[in-house]
Amino acid sequence: MPKEIINQMDAALTETLQLLSSLNEEKINKIPFEGSWTTAQVAQHLYKSIKGMDELLYTPSQQADRNPEEKAQWLKDIFLNYENKMKSPDFILPEDKYYNQSELKDSLESAKDKMTEAAKNSKLEEMAPLPEGHPLNGITKLETLYFITYHTIRHNHQMKNIREQLQ
């Protein structure tokens, strides 16, 4: 199963990059409707949510004392329920600014490549060494990949809706 979720994660992040490229720089920075993020802000949020997660996967940790995929369905149910409105933790909120499309794509692509490589070369059955109070504390490294995948799919859906509003 790890190979499948790694491939899904990579595909979801690749789709993010394609969505980011499907609009010009002016449009990725345009607010489509009141209360919405821009496409660039969604991409920045995704970048901030995966930046450094490769290091987390490489950090030695304790072996999970449960099925390392136990919370995968729970994560899927939370993030792929588009009726469920969510509030982002402050540490991954995107800045309210004009984004350079090329820089944003490069940053996101680099983080994607690092995550994919780390996922293929880490002990995914270990607990994710997250600090106390982190919203994902208590998940395994493998479940971290599920989180990244479903979180990315959720925001790709959001980016598609924004793109439709800007057409």
Side-chain angles (χ1 to χ4, degrees):
M1 194 64 174
K3 186 175 184 182
E4 186 177 318
I5 193 62
I6 292 167
N7 290 340
Q8 288 177 0
M9 179 188 70
D10 189 72
L13 289 165
T14 297
E15 182 179 24
T16 303
L17 290 162
Q18 291 167 343
L19 288 165
L20 190 55
S21 297
S22 71
L23 297 168
N24 65 31
E25 187 169 286
E26 180 184 327
K27 282 194 175 178
I28 68 164
N29 283 287
K30 186 171 179 152
I31 296 172
F33 49 87
E34 190 175 327
S36 175
W37 283 348
T38 65
T39 300
Q41 286 174 310
V42 175
Q44 176 69 5
H45 168 72
L46 286 171
Y47 168 71
K48 289 176 91 169
S49 73
I50 65 169
K51 178 184 168 221
M53 292 290 258
D54 56 309
E55 295 168 22
L56 176 105
L57 294 184
Y58 286 127
T59 302
S61 186
Q62 67 186 42
Q63 186 77 17
D65 60 358
R66 61 176 176 77
N67 176 346
E69 292 181 291
E70 183 178 295
K71 296 183 181 182
Q73 187 62 47
W74 172 73
L75 290 163
K76 184 176 187 178
D77 292 345
I78 289 172
F79 286 100
L80 298 187
N81 176 356
Y82 302 124
E83 301 300 313
N84 182 21
K85 299 300 175 203
M86 304 176 87
K87 185 169 173 17
S88 173
D90 289 345
F91 67 96
I92 56 173
L93 281 174
E95 294 81 11
D96 186 12
K97 68 174 197 173
Y98 190 91
Y99 289 87
N100 177 289
Q101 186 175 29
S102 180
E103 289 175 11
L104 188 53
K105 282 173 26 184
D106 289 349
S107 297
L108 196 54
E109 188 159 22
S110 174
K112 173 189 93 70
D113 292 346
K114 287 178 182 178
M115 265 312 299
T116 302
E117 188 66 25
K120 291 176 182 175
N121 295 299
S122 298
K123 295 180 180 173
L124 299 175
E125 65 284 349
E126 293 178 348
M127 297 304 294
L130 293 163
E132 196 66 37
H134 190 283
L136 297 175
N137 193 24
I139 68 172
T140 64
K141 292 177 180 181
L142 181 55
E143 289 163 343
T144 301
L145 303 185
Y146 283 96
F147 159 74
I148 291 167
T149 302
Y150 299 141
H151 181 244
T152 302
I153 291 169
R154 178 184 185 84
H155 285 297
N156 286 347
H157 177 80
Q158 181 184 12
M159 289 172 83
K160 289 173 190 172
N161 288 339
I162 291 170
R163 185 176 62 186
E164 282 180 26
Q165 292 292 318
L166 296 175
Q167 299 298 347

